[in-house]
Amino acid sequence: MSVSQIIRLPPLPSIRDLIKLYKLRAMKELSQNFLMEPRLISRIVRSAGSIKDCEVCEVGPGPGNITRSIIQNMPSRVLIIEKDKRFTPSLELLAESSPVPLELIFGDVMNFNLEQMFNEDNKMEWEDKCPQIHLIGNLPFNVSTPLIIRWLKAISERKSAWRYGRVRMTLTFQKEVAERMVAPIMTKERSRLSVMCQNWCRVEHKFNIPGRAFIPKPNVDVGVVRLTPLKKPIINLPFDIIEKVIRSVFSYRQKHCIRGVETLFPKPVREQLASELLIAAAIEPSTRPFQLTVSEFGRICEAYMSICKEKPDYMKYNYREQKSDENWPDVKINNSDSSENI
Ligand code: SAM
């Protein structure tokens, strides 16, 4: 018999009734879509793995439907972060009847530092097994994608929740985004997000939820993804450099990768340095970005860093912001093949 079959919460109004009672009409501005199907709700929670005796932080609980299922799995403690205060009565009712401590925090998860949120006793060494801490959330799509990038940066720096070790995340995304997160090389879904996620995490696309399971129904389907931070990232370099290189290379997804690599450098030196970089990285310039493995991206990052070591100004170069590359300072190339002072 599973834990969720044993634990019964004291009688509570159904989520559907609570939504009616407190007139919790979903707000379009907050992209609120409530999941009403109990079978799918408990499947999201089960996707996290066993959460019994774990600390669970749920982001975007809304009226508390996923929260109920989390509680039924008997974690040691539940923290919920919700932006919309209209859910206060519904969540307080749940907190009162919960057999496990349930703490409500009202705020924007995007500005939230999880650094001091959990019990120090649950802290694990990074190389050890994952701590008894889980992050779970069915967030709006416009929040979940920027949030995962923010959290990948925190993972790379072992900050926020990742001060406690390799904390696992179970989150929902638009189905197409979930497919990109797990996409292997050579697929049409392979993108910047695939390389970013796979560099720091083991990414599992657990299952999809049809849009019709939500009220109101979104125009898209939803993918549930579990991310487990890797003991060692594939590219072990600063986040900002990795992010910049991946973004630049994917800026011309269908073209040869040299085209994207060129955008790392100011116009006068672009072609030459991009060729030199790819020679140093042992990458064929005609490879397309979606054909490159995470390790190959790592070699591009290393080669980029060693060029920037010679000329630190290149690190600051931003292709999109650069109005006039002619004004870029000191672009003289010290190379016997090129005697031009550009
Ligand atoms: N968990 C509920 C469910 O599955 O039915 C509600 C999901 S609804 C898609 C997303 C929830 O996230 C809403 O309750 C919304 O108010 C909340 N939310 C949106 N942006 C947020 C943010 N930046 N920080 C915290 N909560 C947020």
Side-chain angles (χ1 to χ4, degrees), residues 46-181:
R46 267 187 283 126
S47 297
S50 170
I51 57 167
K52 189 173 183 301
D53 299 326
C54 295
E55 289 183 283
V56 178
C57 175
E58 189 200 354
V59 286
N65 33 0
I66 296 179
T67 325
R68 285 187 183 197
S69 177
I70 291 172
I71 292 168
Q72 284 172 330
N73 284 274
M74 284 308 274
S76 61
R77 177 173 170 240
V78 184
L79 296 147
I80 45 182
I81 305 176
E82 172 57 59
K83 194 174 180 178
D84 186 349
K85 285 203 165 157
R86 293 177 312 142
F87 296 115
T88 309
S90 167
L91 293 172
E92 278 180 349
L93 194 67
L94 190 55
E96 278 162 27
S97 57
S98 171
V100 298
L102 174 65
E103 290 159 46
L104 277 70
I105 298 162
F106 283 98
D108 185 339
V109 67
M110 290 301 281
N111 305 324
F112 220 85
N113 188 344
L114 300 165
E115 197 100 19
Q116 306 295 334
M117 295 291 282
F118 303 104
N119 193 328
E120 290 296 315
D121 292 345
N122 278 333
K123 202 169 169 184
M124 298 294 283
E125 290 300 322
W126 192 265
E127 286 73 21
D128 221 326
K129 59 181 188 192
C130 294
Q132 298 273 78
I133 300 172
H134 286 265
L135 300 174
I136 298 180
N138 173 24
L139 280 165
F141 306 135
N142 60 346
V143 178
S144 54
T145 309
L147 183 68
I148 194 62
I149 297 294
R150 192 170 285 228
W151 281 358
L152 289 174
K153 185 171 166 76
I155 290 169
S156 75
E157 294 166 355
R158 302 186 187 179
K159 286 190 174 154
S160 190
W162 295 275
R163 188 174 75 73
Y164 297 84
R166 295 183 298 116
V167 171
R168 285 160 287 185
M169 299 146 274
T170 306
L171 302 166
T172 57
F173 296 87
Q174 185 178 329
K175 181 175 144 260
E176 289 71 17
V177 174
E179 284 167 354
R180 272 187 245 147
M181 290 167 81

Side-chain angles (χ1 to χ4, degrees), residues 267-281:
K267 201 171 173 189
V269 290
R270 189 167 286 162
E271 282 182 25
Q272 181 170 348
L273 289 184
S275 302
E276 283 177 18
L277 184 153
L278 289 176
I279 290 169

Side-chain angles (χ1 to χ4, degrees), residues 217-278:
K217 176 182 167 302
N219 294 328
V220 291
D221 294 336
V222 171
V224 177
V225 177
R226 185 168 83 155
L227 297 110
T228 309
L230 297 175
K231 286 186 181 171
K232 236 178 122 185
I234 298 169
I235 313 169
N236 203 358
L237 292 173
F239 180 91
D240 291 345
I241 289 172
I242 299 175
E243 195 279 328
K244 183 180 184 184
V245 167
I246 296 173
R247 175 164 36 85
S248 302
V249 174
F250 269 106
S251 58
Y252 293 96
R253 190 182 179 282
Q254 297 300 336
K255 302 242 160 75
H256 295 161
C257 70
I258 190 160
R259 200 57 203 88
V261 172
E262 285 174 0
T263 68
L264 287 165
F265 303 106
K267 201 171 173 189
V269 290
R270 189 167 286 162
E271 282 182 25
Q272 181 170 348
L273 289 184
S275 302
E276 283 177 18
L277 184 153
L278 289 176

